[in-house]
Coordinates of all heavy atoms in Angstrom, one line a residue:
M1 N 12.6 27.5 -41.0 CA 13.6 27.1 -40.1 C 13.2 27.2 -38.7 O 13.4 26.2 -37.9 CB 14.9 27.9 -40.3 CG 16.0 27.6 -39.4 SD 16.8 26.1 -40.1 CE 18.2 26.1 -39.1
A2 N 12.5 28.2 -38.3 CA 12.0 28.4 -36.9 C 11.0 27.4 -36.6 O 10.9 26.9 -35.5 CB 11.4 29.8 -36.8
M3 N 10.1 27.0 -37.6 CA 9.1 26.0 -37.4 C 9.7 24.6 -37.2 O 9.3 23.9 -36.3 CB 8.2 26.0 -38.6 CG 7.0 25.1 -38.5 SD 5.9 25.8 -37.3 CE 4.4 25.2 -37.9
A4 N 10.8 24.3 -37.9 CA 11.5 23.0 -37.7 C 12.2 23.0 -36.4 O 12.1 21.9 -35.7 CB 12.5 22.9 -38.8
T5 N 12.7 24.0 -35.9 CA 13.4 24.1 -34.6 C 12.3 23.9 -33.5 O 12.6 23.1 -32.5 CB 14.1 25.4 -34.4 OG1 15.0 25.6 -35.5 CG2 14.9 25.4 -33.1
K6 N 11.2 24.6 -33.6 CA 10.1 24.4 -32.6 C 9.6 23.0 -32.6 O 9.4 22.4 -31.5 CB 9.0 25.4 -32.9 CG 9.3 26.8 -32.5 CD 8.2 27.7 -32.8 CE 8.5 29.2 -32.5 NZ 7.4 30.1 -32.8
F7 N 9.5 22.4 -33.8 CA 9.0 21.0 -33.8 C 10.0 20.0 -33.2 O 9.6 19.1 -32.5 CB 8.7 20.6 -35.3 CG 8.3 19.2 -35.5 CD1 7.0 18.8 -35.1 CD2 9.2 18.2 -36.0 CE1 6.6 17.5 -35.3 CE2 8.8 16.9 -36.1 CZ 7.5 16.5 -35.8
L8 N 11.3 20.3 -33.5 CA 12.4 19.4 -32.9 C 12.4 19.5 -31.4 O 12.5 18.5 -30.7 CB 13.7 19.8 -33.5 CG 14.9 19.0 -33.1 CD1 14.8 17.5 -33.5 CD2 16.2 19.6 -33.6
I9 N 12.3 20.7 -30.9 CA 12.3 20.9 -29.4 C 11.1 20.3 -28.8 O 11.2 19.6 -27.7 CB 12.4 22.4 -29.1 CG1 13.8 22.9 -29.4 CG2 12.2 22.6 -27.6 CD1 14.0 24.4 -29.3
A10 N 9.9 20.4 -29.4 CA 8.7 19.8 -28.9 C 8.7 18.3 -28.8 O 8.4 17.7 -27.9 CB 7.5 20.3 -29.7
S11 N 9.3 17.7 -29.9 CA 9.4 16.3 -30.0 C 10.4 15.8 -29.0 O 10.2 14.7 -28.4 CB 9.7 15.8 -31.4 OG 10.9 16.3 -31.8
L12 N 11.5 16.5 -28.8 CA 12.5 16.1 -27.8 C 11.9 16.1 -26.4 O 12.1 15.2 -25.6 CB 13.7 17.0 -27.9 CG 14.8 16.8 -26.9 CD1 15.4 15.4 -27.2 CD2 15.9 17.8 -27.0
L13 N 11.1 17.2 -26.1 CA 10.5 17.3 -24.8 C 9.5 16.2 -24.5 O 9.4 15.6 -23.5 CB 9.8 18.7 -24.6 CG 10.8 19.8 -24.3 CD1 10.0 21.1 -24.3 CD2 11.6 19.6 -23.1
L14 N 8.7 15.9 -25.6 CA 7.7 14.8 -25.4 C 8.4 13.4 -25.3 O 8.0 12.6 -24.5 CB 6.8 14.7 -26.7 CG 5.7 15.8 -26.7 CD1 5.0 15.8 -28.0 CD2 4.8 15.7 -25.6
S15 N 9.5 13.2 -25.9 CA 10.3 12.0 -25.8 C 10.8 11.8 -24.4 O 10.8 10.8 -23.8 CB 11.4 11.9 -26.8 OG 11.0 12.0 -28.1
L16 N 11.4 12.9 -23.8 CA 11.9 12.9 -22.5 C 10.8 12.7 -21.5 O 11.0 11.9 -20.5 CB 12.7 14.2 -22.2 CG 14.0 14.4 -22.9 CD1 14.6 15.8 -22.6 CD2 15.0 13.3 -22.4
L17 N 9.7 13.3 -21.7 CA 8.5 13.1 -20.8 C 8.0 11.6 -20.8 O 7.8 11.0 -19.8 CB 7.4 14.0 -21.2 CG 6.2 14.1 -20.3 CD1 6.6 14.6 -18.9 CD2 5.1 15.0 -20.9
A18 N 8.0 11.1 -22.0 CA 7.6 9.7 -22.1 C 8.6 8.7 -21.4 O 8.2 7.8 -20.8 CB 7.4 9.3 -23.6
L19 N 9.8 9.0 -21.6 CA 10.9 8.2 -21.0 C 10.8 8.3 -19.4 O 10.9 7.3 -18.7 CB 12.3 8.7 -21.5 CG 13.5 7.9 -20.9 CD1 13.4 6.5 -21.4 CD2 14.8 8.6 -21.4
H20 N 10.5 9.5 -19.0 CA 10.4 9.7 -17.5 C 9.3 8.9 -16.9 O 9.4 8.3 -15.9 CB 10.2 11.2 -17.2 CG 9.9 11.5 -15.8 ND1 10.9 11.4 -14.8 CD2 8.8 11.9 -15.1 CE1 10.4 11.7 -13.6 NE2 9.1 12.0 -13.8
F21 N 8.1 8.9 -17.6 CA 6.9 8.2 -17.1 C 7.2 6.7 -17.2 O 6.7 5.9 -16.4 CB 5.7 8.6 -17.9 CG 5.1 9.9 -17.4 CD1 4.9 10.9 -18.3 CD2 4.8 10.1 -16.1 CE1 4.3 12.1 -17.9 CE2 4.3 11.3 -15.7 CZ 4.0 12.3 -16.6
A22 N 7.9 6.2 -18.2 CA 8.2 4.8 -18.4 C 9.1 4.3 -17.3 O 8.9 3.2 -16.7 CB 8.8 4.5 -19.7
E23 N 10.1 5.1 -16.9 CA 11.0 4.7 -15.8 C 10.4 4.9 -14.4 O 10.7 4.2 -13.5 CB 12.3 5.5 -15.9 CG 13.2 5.1 -17.0 CD 14.5 5.9 -17.1 OE1 14.7 6.8 -16.3 OE2 15.3 5.6 -18.0
A24 N 9.4 5.8 -14.3 CA 8.8 6.0 -13.0 C 7.9 4.8 -12.6 O 7.8 4.5 -11.4 CB 7.9 7.2 -13.0
G25 N 7.4 4.0 -13.5 CA 6.6 2.8 -13.2 C 7.4 1.7 -12.7 O 6.9 0.8 -12.1
H26 N 8.7 1.7 -12.9 CA 9.6 0.6 -12.5 C 10.7 1.1 -11.6 O 11.6 1.9 -12.0 CB 10.2 -0.1 -13.7 CG 11.2 -1.2 -13.4 ND1 10.8 -2.3 -12.7 CD2 12.5 -1.3 -13.6 CE1 11.9 -3.1 -12.5 NE2 12.9 -2.5 -13.1
D27 N 10.7 0.7 -10.3 CA 11.7 1.2 -9.4 C 12.7 0.0 -9.1 O 12.4 -0.9 -8.4 CB 11.1 1.6 -8.1 CG 12.1 2.3 -7.1 OD1 13.2 2.5 -7.5 OD2 11.7 2.6 -6.0
P28 N 13.9 0.0 -9.8 CA 14.8 -1.2 -9.7 C 15.3 -1.4 -8.3 O 15.6 -2.5 -7.9 CB 15.9 -0.8 -10.7 CG 15.8 0.6 -10.9 CD 14.4 1.1 -10.7
V29 N 15.5 -0.3 -7.5 CA 16.0 -0.5 -6.2 C 15.0 -1.3 -5.3 O 15.4 -2.2 -4.6 CB 16.3 0.9 -5.5 CG1 16.7 0.7 -4.1 CG2 17.4 1.6 -6.3
N30 N 13.8 -0.9 -5.3 CA 12.8 -1.5 -4.4 C 12.4 -2.9 -4.9 O 12.2 -3.8 -4.1 CB 11.5 -0.7 -4.3 CG 11.8 0.5 -3.4 OD1 12.7 0.5 -2.6 ND2 10.9 1.6 -3.6
S31 N 12.3 -3.1 -6.2 CA 11.9 -4.4 -6.8 C 13.0 -5.4 -6.5 O 12.8 -6.6 -6.2 CB 11.6 -4.3 -8.2 OG 12.8 -4.0 -9.0
N32 N 14.3 -5.1 -6.6 CA 15.4 -6.0 -6.2 C 15.4 -6.3 -4.8 O 15.7 -7.4 -4.4 CB 16.7 -5.4 -6.7 CG 16.9 -5.4 -8.2 OD1 16.2 -6.2 -8.9 ND2 17.8 -4.6 -8.7
L33 N 15.1 -5.3 -3.9 CA 15.1 -5.5 -2.5 C 14.0 -6.5 -2.1 O 14.2 -7.4 -1.3 CB 14.9 -4.2 -1.8 CG 14.9 -4.2 -0.3 CD1 16.3 -4.7 0.3 CD2 14.6 -2.9 0.3
A34 N 12.9 -6.3 -2.7 CA 11.7 -7.2 -2.4 C 12.0 -8.7 -2.9 O 11.6 -9.6 -2.2 CB 10.5 -6.7 -3.0
A35 N 12.7 -8.8 -4.0 CA 12.9 -10.1 -4.5 C 14.0 -10.8 -3.8 O 14.0 -12.1 -3.7 CB 13.3 -10.0 -6.0
S36 N 15.0 -10.1 -3.2 CA 16.1 -10.7 -2.5 C 15.9 -11.0 -1.1 O 16.6 -11.7 -0.4 CB 17.4 -9.9 -2.8 OG 17.2 -8.7 -2.1
S37 N 14.9 -10.3 -0.4 CA 14.7 -10.5 1.0 C 14.0 -11.7 1.3 O 12.9 -12.0 0.7 CB 14.0 -9.3 1.6 OG 12.7 -9.2 1.1
P38 N 14.5 -12.6 2.2 CA 13.8 -13.8 2.5 C 12.6 -13.6 3.4 O 12.5 -12.5 4.0 CB 14.9 -14.6 3.3 CG 15.8 -13.5 3.9 CD 15.7 -12.4 2.9
P39 N 11.7 -14.6 3.4 CA 10.5 -14.4 4.3 C 10.9 -14.3 5.7 O 11.9 -14.8 6.2 CB 9.7 -15.6 4.0 CG 10.5 -16.6 3.3 CD 11.7 -15.8 2.7
K40 N 10.1 -13.6 6.5 CA 10.5 -13.3 7.9 C 10.4 -14.6 8.7 O 9.3 -15.3 8.7 CB 9.5 -12.3 8.5 CG 9.8 -11.8 9.9 CD 8.8 -10.8 10.2 CE 8.5 -10.8 11.7 NZ 7.5 -9.8 12.1
K41 N 11.4 -15.0 9.4 CA 11.5 -16.2 10.2 C 11.5 -15.9 11.6 O 12.2 -14.9 12.0 CB 12.7 -17.1 9.8 CG 12.6 -17.8 8.5 CD 11.6 -18.9 8.5 CE 11.6 -19.7 7.2 NZ 10.6 -20.7 7.2
I42 N 10.9 -16.7 12.5 CA 11.0 -16.5 13.9 C 11.6 -17.7 14.5 O 11.8 -18.7 13.9 CB 9.6 -16.2 14.5 CG1 8.7 -17.5 14.4 CG2 8.9 -15.1 13.9 CD1 7.4 -17.4 15.2
D43 N 12.0 -17.5 15.8 CA 12.6 -18.6 16.5 C 11.5 -19.5 17.1 O 10.9 -19.2 18.1 CB 13.5 -18.1 17.6 CG 14.2 -19.2 18.5 OD1 14.2 -20.3 18.0 OD2 14.7 -18.9 19.5
C44 N 11.1 -20.5 16.3 CA 10.0 -21.4 16.7 C 10.2 -22.1 18.1 O 9.3 -22.2 18.8 CB 9.7 -22.4 15.6 SG 9.1 -21.7 14.1
G45 N 11.5 -22.4 18.4 CA 11.7 -23.1 19.6 C 11.4 -22.3 20.8 O 10.7 -22.8 21.7
S46 N 11.8 -21.1 20.9 CA 11.5 -20.3 22.0 C 10.1 -19.8 22.1 O 9.5 -19.7 23.1 CB 12.5 -19.1 22.1 OG 12.3 -18.2 21.0
A47 N 9.5 -19.5 20.9 CA 8.1 -19.1 20.8 C 7.2 -20.2 21.3 O 6.3 -20.0 22.0 CB 7.7 -18.7 19.4
C48 N 7.5 -21.5 20.9 CA 6.7 -22.6 21.3 C 6.9 -23.0 22.8 O 6.0 -23.4 23.5 CB 6.9 -23.8 20.4 SG 6.2 -23.6 18.8
K49 N 8.1 -22.7 23.3 CA 8.4 -23.0 24.7 C 7.6 -22.1 25.5 O 7.0 -22.5 26.5 CB 9.9 -22.8 25.0 CG 10.3 -23.1 26.4 CD 11.8 -23.0 26.6 CE 12.2 -23.3 28.0 NZ 13.6 -23.1 28.2
A50 N 7.5 -20.8 25.1 CA 6.7 -19.8 25.9 C 5.2 -20.2 25.7 O 4.4 -20.1 26.7 CB 6.9 -18.4 25.3
R51 N 4.8 -20.6 24.6 CA 3.4 -21.0 24.3 C 2.9 -22.2 25.1 O 1.8 -22.3 25.6 CB 3.1 -21.2 22.8 CG 1.8 -21.6 22.4 CD 0.9 -20.4 22.3 NE -0.4 -20.8 21.7 CZ -1.4 -20.0 21.7 NH1 -1.3 -18.8 22.2 NH2 -2.6 -20.4 21.3
C52 N 3.8 -23.2 25.3 CA 3.5 -24.4 25.9 C 3.9 -24.6 27.4 O 3.8 -25.6 28.0 CB 4.1 -25.6 25.1 SG 3.4 -25.7 23.4
Q53 N 4.4 -23.5 28.0 CA 4.9 -23.6 29.3 C 3.9 -24.0 30.4 O 4.3 -24.6 31.4 CB 5.5 -22.2 29.8 CG 4.6 -21.1 30.0 CD 5.3 -19.8 30.3 OE1 6.5 -19.8 30.3 NE2 4.5 -18.8 30.4
L54 N 2.6 -23.8 30.2 CA 1.6 -24.2 31.2 C 0.8 -25.5 30.7 O -0.1 -25.9 31.4 CB 0.6 -23.1 31.4 CG 1.2 -21.8 32.0 CD1 0.1 -20.7 32.2 CD2 1.9 -22.1 33.3
S55 N 1.3 -26.1 29.6 CA 0.6 -27.2 29.1 C 0.7 -28.5 30.0 O 1.8 -28.7 30.6 CB 1.1 -27.6 27.7 OG 0.5 -28.8 27.3
S56 N -0.3 -29.3 30.1 CA -0.2 -30.5 30.9 C 0.6 -31.6 30.1 O 1.1 -32.5 30.8 CB -1.6 -31.1 31.2 OG -2.3 -31.4 30.0
R57 N 0.7 -31.4 28.8 CA 1.5 -32.3 28.0 C 2.5 -31.5 27.2 O 2.3 -31.3 26.0 CB 0.6 -33.2 27.1 CG -0.4 -34.0 27.9 CD -1.3 -34.7 27.1 NE -0.6 -35.8 26.4 CZ -1.2 -36.5 25.4 NH1 -2.4 -36.3 25.1 NH2 -0.5 -37.5 24.9
P58 N 3.6 -31.0 27.8 CA 4.5 -30.1 27.1 C 5.2 -30.6 25.9 O 5.4 -29.9 24.9 CB 5.5 -29.7 28.2 CG 5.4 -30.7 29.3 CD 4.0 -31.3 29.2
R59 N 5.6 -31.9 25.9 CA 6.2 -32.5 24.7 C 5.3 -32.5 23.5 O 5.7 -32.1 22.4 CB 6.7 -33.9 25.0 CG 7.9 -33.9 25.9 CD 8.5 -35.3 26.0 NE 9.5 -35.4 27.0 CZ 10.0 -36.5 27.5 NH1 9.4 -37.6 27.2 NH2 11.0 -36.4 28.4
L60 N 4.1 -32.9 23.7 CA 3.1 -32.9 22.6 C 2.8 -31.5 22.2 O 2.7 -31.2 21.0 CB 1.8 -33.6 23.1 CG 0.6 -33.7 22.1 CD1 1.0 -34.6 21.0 CD2 -0.6 -34.2 22.8
C61 N 2.6 -30.6 23.1 CA 2.4 -29.2 22.8 C 3.5 -28.6 21.9 O 3.3 -28.0 20.9 CB 2.1 -28.4 24.0 SG 1.8 -26.7 23.8
N62 N 4.7 -28.8 22.4 CA 5.9 -28.3 21.6 C 6.0 -28.9 20.2 O 6.4 -28.2 19.3 CB 7.2 -28.6 22.4 CG 7.4 -27.5 23.4 OD1 7.3 -26.3 23.2 ND2 7.8 -27.9 24.7
R63 N 5.7 -30.2 20.1 CA 5.8 -30.8 18.8 C 4.8 -30.2 17.8 O 5.1 -29.9 16.7 CB 5.7 -32.3 18.9 CG 5.9 -33.0 17.6 CD 5.9 -34.5 17.7 NE 4.6 -35.0 18.1 CZ 4.3 -35.9 19.1 NH1 5.3 -36.4 19.8 NH2 3.1 -36.3 19.3
A64 N 3.5 -30.1 18.3 CA 2.5 -29.6 17.5 C 2.7 -28.1 17.2 O 2.6 -27.6 16.0 CB 1.1 -29.7 18.2
C65 N 3.1 -27.3 18.2 CA 3.4 -25.9 18.0 C 4.5 -25.7 17.0 O 4.5 -24.8 16.1 CB 3.7 -25.3 19.3 SG 4.2 -23.5 19.2
G66 N 5.6 -26.5 17.1 CA 6.7 -26.4 16.2 C 6.3 -26.7 14.7 O 6.8 -26.0 13.8
T67 N 5.4 -27.7 14.5 CA 5.0 -27.9 13.2 C 4.2 -26.7 12.6 O 4.4 -26.3 11.5 CB 4.1 -29.2 13.2 OG1 4.8 -30.3 13.6 CG2 3.5 -29.5 11.8
C68 N 3.3 -26.2 13.5 CA 2.5 -25.1 13.0 C 3.3 -23.8 12.8 O 3.1 -23.1 11.8 CB 1.4 -24.8 14.1 SG 0.2 -26.1 14.3
C69 N 4.3 -23.6 13.7 CA 5.2 -22.5 13.5 C 6.0 -22.5 12.3 O 6.2 -21.5 11.6 CB 6.1 -22.4 14.8 SG 7.2 -21.0 14.7
S70 N 6.5 -23.7 11.9 CA 7.4 -23.9 10.7 C 6.5 -23.6 9.5 O 7.1 -23.1 8.5 CB 8.0 -25.2 10.7 OG 7.1 -26.2 10.6
R71 N 5.3 -24.0 9.5 CA 4.4 -23.7 8.3 C 4.0 -22.3 8.2 O 3.9 -21.7 7.1 CB 3.2 -24.6 8.4 CG 3.5 -26.1 8.2 CD 2.2 -26.9 8.2 NE 2.5 -28.3 8.1 CZ 1.7 -29.3 8.3 NH1 0.4 -29.0 8.5 NH2 2.0 -30.5 8.2
C72 N 3.7 -21.7 9.4 CA 3.1 -20.3 9.4 C 4.1 -19.2 9.7 O 3.8 -18.0 9.5 CB 2.0 -20.2 10.4 SG 0.6 -21.4 10.0
S73 N 5.2 -19.5 10.2 CA 6.2 -18.5 10.7 C 5.6 -17.5 11.7 O 5.8 -16.3 11.6 CB 6.8 -17.8 9.5 OG 7.6 -18.6 8.7
C74 N 4.8 -18.1 12.6 CA 4.0 -17.2 13.5 C 3.5 -18.1 14.6 O 3.1 -19.2 14.4 CB 2.9 -16.6 12.7 SG 1.5 -16.0 13.6
V75 N 3.5 -17.6 15.9 CA 2.9 -18.3 17.0 C 2.1 -17.2 17.8 O 2.7 -16.1 18.1 CB 4.0 -18.9 17.9 CG1 3.4 -19.4 19.2 CG2 4.7 -20.0 17.2
P76 N 0.9 -17.4 18.1 CA 0.1 -16.4 18.8 C 0.7 -16.1 20.2 O 1.3 -17.0 20.8 CB -1.3 -17.0 19.0 CG -1.4 -18.1 18.0 CD 0.0 -18.6 17.8
P77 N 0.6 -14.9 20.7 CA 1.1 -14.6 22.0 C 0.3 -15.3 23.2 O -0.8 -15.7 23.0 CB 1.0 -13.1 22.1 CG -0.2 -12.8 21.2 CD -0.1 -13.8 20.1
G78 N 1.0 -15.4 24.3 CA 0.3 -16.0 25.4 C 0.4 -17.6 25.4 O 1.0 -18.2 24.6
T79 N -0.2 -18.2 26.4 CA -0.2 -19.6 26.6 C -1.4 -20.3 26.0 O -1.4 -21.5 25.8 CB -0.1 -20.0 28.1 OG1 -1.2 -19.4 28.8 CG2 1.2 -19.5 28.7
A80 N -2.4 -19.6 25.6 CA -3.6 -20.2 25.0 C -4.4 -19.1 24.3 O -4.3 -17.9 24.7 CB -4.5 -20.8 26.1
G81 N -5.2 -19.4 23.4 CA -6.1 -18.5 22.7 C -5.3 -17.5 21.8 O -4.2 -17.9 21.3
N82 N -5.8 -16.3 21.6 CA -5.2 -15.3 20.8 C -5.0 -15.7 19.4 O -4.0 -15.3 18.7 CB -3.9 -14.8 21.4 CG -4.0 -14.3 22.8 OD1 -5.0 -13.5 23.1 ND2 -3.1 -14.6 23.7
Y83 N -5.8 -16.6 18.8 CA -5.6 -17.1 17.5 C -5.8 -16.0 16.4 O -5.3 -16.1 15.3 CB -6.6 -18.2 17.2 CG -6.3 -19.5 17.9 CD1 -7.1 -19.9 19.0 CD2 -5.2 -20.2 17.6 CE1 -6.8 -21.1 19.7 CE2 -4.9 -21.4 18.3 CZ -5.7 -21.8 19.3 OH -5.4 -23.0 20.0
E84 N -6.5 -14.9 16.8 CA -6.7 -13.8 15.8 C -5.3 -13.1 15.4 O -5.2 -12.5 14.4 CB -7.7 -12.8 16.3 CG -7.2 -12.0 17.5 CD -7.5 -12.7 18.8 OE1 -8.1 -13.8 18.9 OE2 -7.0 -12.2 19.9
A85 N -4.3 -13.3 16.2 CA -3.0 -12.7 16.0 C -2.3 -13.5 14.9 O -1.4 -12.9 14.3 CB -2.2 -12.7 17.2
C86 N -2.7 -14.7 14.6 CA -2.0 -15.5 13.6 C -3.0 -16.4 12.9 O -3.2 -17.6 13.3 CB -0.9 -16.4 14.3 SG 0.1 -17.3 13.2
P87 N -3.7 -15.9 11.9 CA -4.8 -16.7 11.3 C -4.3 -18.0 10.6 O -5.1 -19.0 10.7 CB -5.3 -15.7 10.2 CG -4.8 -14.4 10.5 CD -3.6 -14.6 11.4
C88 N -3.1 -18.0 10.1 CA -2.6 -19.3 9.5 C -2.5 -20.4 10.6 O -2.9 -21.5 10.4 CB -1.2 -19.0 8.9 SG -0.4 -20.5 8.4
Y89 N -2.0 -20.0 11.8 CA -1.8 -20.9 12.9 C -3.2 -21.5 13.3 O -3.3 -22.6 13.6 CB -1.2 -20.1 14.0 CG -0.7 -20.9 15.2 CD1 0.6 -21.4 15.3 CD2 -1.5 -21.2 16.3 CE1 1.1 -22.1 16.4 CE2 -1.1 -21.9 17.4 CZ 0.3 -22.3 17.4 OH 0.7 -23.0 18.5
A90 N -4.2 -20.6 13.3 CA -5.5 -21.0 13.7 C -6.3 -21.9 12.7 O -7.1 -22.6 13.1 CB -6.4 -19.7 14.0
S91 N -5.9 -21.7 11.4 CA -6.6 -22.5 10.4 C -6.2 -23.9 10.2 O -6.9 -24.7 9.5 CB -6.5 -21.7 9.1 OG -5.1 -21.8 8.6
L92 N -5.0 -24.3 10.7 CA -4.5 -25.7 10.6 C -5.3 -26.6 11.4 O -5.5 -26.4 12.6 CB -3.0 -25.8 10.9 CG -2.1 -24.9 10.0 CD1 -0.7 -25.1 10.6 CD2 -2.2 -25.4 8.6
T93 N -5.8 -27.7 10.8 CA -6.6 -28.7 11.5 C -6.1 -30.1 11.3 O -5.4 -30.4 10.3 CB -8.1 -28.6 11.1 OG1 -8.2 -28.9 9.7 CG2 -8.7 -27.3 11.4
T94 N -6.5 -31.0 12.2 CA -6.1 -32.4 12.0 C -7.1 -33.1 11.0 O -8.0 -32.5 10.6 CB -6.3 -33.1 13.4 OG1 -7.6 -33.1 13.8 CG2 -5.4 -32.5 14.4
H95 N -6.9 -34.4 10.8 CA -7.8 -35.1 9.9 C -9.2 -35.2 10.4 O -10.2 -35.2 9.7 CB -7.2 -36.5 9.6 CG -6.0 -36.5 8.8 ND1 -5.9 -36.1 7.5 CD2 -4.7 -36.9 9.2 CE1 -4.6 -36.3 7.1 NE2 -3.9 -36.7 8.1
G96 N -9.3 -35.1 11.7 CA -10.6 -35.1 12.4 C -11.3 -33.8 12.5 O -12.4 -33.7 13.0
G97 N -10.7 -32.7 12.0 CA -11.3 -31.4 12.0 C -11.0 -30.6 13.2 O -11.5 -29.5 13.3
R98 N -10.2 -31.1 14.2 CA -9.9 -30.4 15.4 C -8.7 -29.5 15.1 O -7.9 -29.8 14.2 CB -9.6 -31.3 16.5 CG -10.8 -32.2 16.9 CD -10.5 -33.2 18.0 NE -10.0 -32.5 19.2 CZ -9.4 -33.1 20.2 NH1 -9.1 -34.4 20.1 NH2 -9.1 -32.4 21.2
R99 N -8.5 -28.5 15.9 CA -7.3 -27.6 15.7 C -6.1 -28.3 16.0 O -5.9 -29.0 17.0 CB -7.4 -26.4 16.7 CG -8.4 -25.4 16.2 CD -8.2 -24.1 17.0 NE -9.0 -23.1 16.4 CZ -9.4 -22.0 17.1 NH1 -9.0 -21.8 18.3 NH2 -10.1 -21.1 16.5
K100 N -5.1 -28.2 15.1 CA -3.9 -28.9 15.2 C -2.9 -28.1 16.1 O -2.2 -28.7 16.9 CB -3.2 -29.0 13.8 CG -1.8 -29.6 13.8 CD -1.3 -29.7 12.4 CE 0.0 -30.5 12.4 NZ -0.1 -31.8 12.7
C101 N -3.0 -26.8 16.1 CA -2.1 -26.0 16.8 C -2.5 -25.6 18.2 O -3.7 -25.1 18.4 CB -1.8 -24.7 16.0 SG -1.3 -25.1 14.3
P102 N -1.7 -25.8 19.2 CA -2.1 -25.4 20.6 C -2.1 -23.9 20.9 O -1.6 -23.2 20.2 CB -1.0 -26.1 21.5 CG 0.2 -26.1 20.6 CD -0.3 -26.3 19.2

């Protein structure tokens, strides 16, 4: 009888341990949060206005910047350069191979 009780307790503890490890691999709170949160969006209008404020062709600059911003959800800081801050923005090119984004 004592042997059966020890075996029952040991198997119960092993089952609980296995259940604990199985649930530890899946965090329902964080996985639902990640699935339901939309991608981060920025205000492309104001970001492009700041980016194109010194441009000699502001309408063209704003149009190109807006297209790039909507695709990448990112605009580099400053009025020129700083492409390393937004690699997607820097990688977009025209059919001729020139940078699309100002």
Side-chain angles (χ1 to χ4, degrees):
M1 179 80 170
M3 185 71 149
T5 305
K6 288 180 181 178
F7 178 73
L8 182 63
I9 291 173
S11 63
L12 180 62
L13 286 175
L14 285 175
S15 298
L16 288 173
L17 187 63
L19 182 62
H20 175 72
F21 283 125
E23 287 181 357
H26 176 65
D27 189 6
V29 173
N30 287 338
S31 64
N32 287 340
L33 180 63
S36 66
S37 63
K40 186 176 151 185
K41 288 286 186 183
I42 65 168
D43 181 13
C44 290
S46 63
C48 288
K49 184 177 179 181
R51 179 83 174 165
C52 296
Q53 68 185 358
L54 299 178
S55 174
S56 61
R57 301 177 70 189
R59 287 185 186 165
L60 179 66
C61 181
N62 276 314
R63 187 173 67 228
C65 178
T67 300
C68 297
C69 178
S70 65
R71 289 183 187 171
C72 298
S73 294
C74 159
V75 174
T79 56
N82 301 319
Y83 289 111
E84 66 278 355
C86 187
C88 171
Y89 191 92
S91 67
L92 296 177
T93 57
T94 63
H95 293 292
R98 297 176 61 196
R99 282 193 173 160
K100 177 178 186 67
C101 309

